[in-house]
Amino acid sequence: MSRIKVLIVDDSAAARLALAALLSEDGGLEVAGTESALALASMAREWPDVILLYMAALGLDDIAFLEELMAVRPTPVLLFSPHLGKGAEMVLQAVFAGAVSVLSRPEPGLGRSLHDKAGELIDGIKAVVRSKRPVAETGFHVQEEPGQGKK
């Protein structure tokens, strides 16, 4: 079986390297990374099976990237953001634009918290790729932040 090609899109080189190192521990993943401004050009050389998109500022540039990506070639996108509670509206816009899953990510100072998320990310990546269903039917959902449960 061929390895799953994962592209990490994050404007922080340190975060890309840390996340790539963690994900690369799984021999079934082939991990690369780039900053958002270069993502589509990078993908023109080799298209990934899954994109892990970090939305730090939850800006319209990220939404525009998702919309352009889905117009060019729909590809599963796992959104990784520290703003699930504060930026819920933008997170929902990202889901409507094509993200299939939204996971919380700790703020900078990645450390152990990011390491703890690695298994969850790897499982999510593999599930999306193996589902063979259209992006909209993967069944992934927005993961609530701790303490942000339903009332």
Side-chain angles (χ1 to χ4, degrees):
M1 181 155 126
S2 64
R3 292 171 38 172
I4 298 170
K5 296 177 196 150
V6 180
L7 179 64
I8 300 168
V9 178
D10 190 327
D11 289 337
S12 166
R16 283 193 314 264
L17 290 172
L19 191 52
L22 287 172
L23 296 178
S24 293
E25 290 177 7
D26 184 293
L29 303 179
E30 180 181 324
V31 184
T34 187
E35 58 190 75
S36 57
L38 304 174
L40 287 173
S42 171
M43 293 178 343
R45 290 186 293 274
E46 184 172 13
W47 207 270
D49 298 311
V50 176
I51 298 167
L52 182 57
L53 175 63
Y54 176 60
M55 289 181 75
L58 288 172
L60 293 177
D61 289 347
D62 296 315
I63 303 300
F65 167 76
L66 279 168
E67 290 172 343
E68 185 176 356
L69 173 68
M70 295 305 159
V72 171
R73 184 170 167 185
T75 304
V77 175
L78 302 176
L79 189 66
F80 203 35
S81 175
H83 301 289
L84 295 185
K86 297 178 266 183
E89 184 177 325
M90 286 299 251
V91 169
L92 287 174
Q93 286 181 16
V95 170
F96 289 132
V100 296
S101 183
V102 182
L103 304 169
S104 64
R105 174 181 137 174
E107 284 285 0
L110 307 170
R112 188 78 184 141
S113 296
L114 182 58
H115 191 271
D116 293 342
K117 285 266 181 204
E120 183 180 348
L121 286 170
I122 291 168
D123 291 345
I125 288 165
K126 289 179 177 181
V128 167
V129 171
R130 291 196 178 118
S131 72
K132 304 275 192 229
R133 290 180 284 166
V135 169
E137 296 177 15
T138 57
F140 278 83
H141 61 281
V142 174
Q143 173 191 345
E144 295 178 0
E145 289 184 72
Q148 299 291 323
K150 296 178 183 173
K151 296 181 181 181

